[in-house]
Amino acid sequence: MKRISFLCLRYLILIGLLSACSRPDFNLVGGDSVRLTDHQGQWIIINYWAEWCKPCLEEVPELNEFYAQVDGKLLFYSISYDKDSNKALAEQKKKYGMEYPIIATDPAPRINIPRPAALPANYLIAPDGKTYGPVLGPQDAESMVTMFEKHQQDWLSAR
């Protein structure tokens, strides 16, 4: 009987460990989940914004344009500086016409990026995990492409 109990316990622990390995790193507004390990080797841009930040909202059309230009070439995620609910974020995304993915859960435990001291703020993460930024202040699509290309070139040159 002790052997059966021990085997059951080992089985439950194994199931728990396997399910922990498959947990998403964060969830997006709308319900999709993201595991960063699925995107190793890719460039990622993280944009911090807030609804009370006028320059953040003014750059939304430019970020939409940038996102359309780079879709498939790099990953782009936006994070609300405020800890709003998924429902509130979904309403803000619709209200401001944000066409890019917004992270609904705090990714800080999973990514090594500090919360910025000013907004809007953009970070670029290289395929090897090196982080560039923050680039502070409102950006347009052209400046975002320039930032990406410059750091990509620097990163490739250093290899």
Side-chain angles (χ1 to χ4, degrees), residues 54 80 83:
K54 186 176 178 181
S80 174
K83 296 187 187 217

Side-chain angles (χ1 to χ4, degrees), residues 2-12:
K2 284 184 183 182
R3 180 163 164 68
I4 292 172
S5 296
F6 179 72
L7 288 174
C8 288
L9 179 62
R10 282 181 54 185
Y11 180 71
L12 290 173

Side-chain angles (χ1 to χ4, degrees), residues 55-125:
C56 296
L57 300 178
E58 290 172 349
E59 77 175 352
V60 168
E62 292 291 332
L63 293 179
N64 285 338
E65 182 181 333
F66 172 72
Y67 180 65
Q69 288 177 13
V70 300
D71 192 22
K73 298 176 190 164
L74 63 87
L75 300 170
F76 181 83
Y77 296 109
S78 192
I79 302 170
S80 174
Y81 192 80
D82 301 320
K83 296 187 187 217
D84 291 327
S85 69
N86 194 2
K87 181 181 177 187
L89 289 171
E91 290 169 359
Q92 292 167 16
K93 181 175 180 168
K94 183 177 179 181
K95 178 179 179 180
Y96 300 112
M98 298 170 170
E99 298 170 3
Y100 41 84
I102 296 176
I103 296 174
T105 54
D106 185 9
R110 298 296 211 182
I111 59 176
N112 192 21
I113 296 178
R115 286 173 57 89
L119 294 175
N122 292 281
Y123 293 89
L124 178 64
I125 304 171

Side-chain angles (χ1 to χ4, degrees), residues 43 130 132 149-159:
W43 288 88
K130 182 175 180 178
Y132 299 93
E149 290 175 346
K150 177 199 177 304
H151 289 301
Q152 182 184 41
Q153 187 61 41
D154 291 348
W155 184 80
L156 291 170
S157 296
R159 298 190 73 65

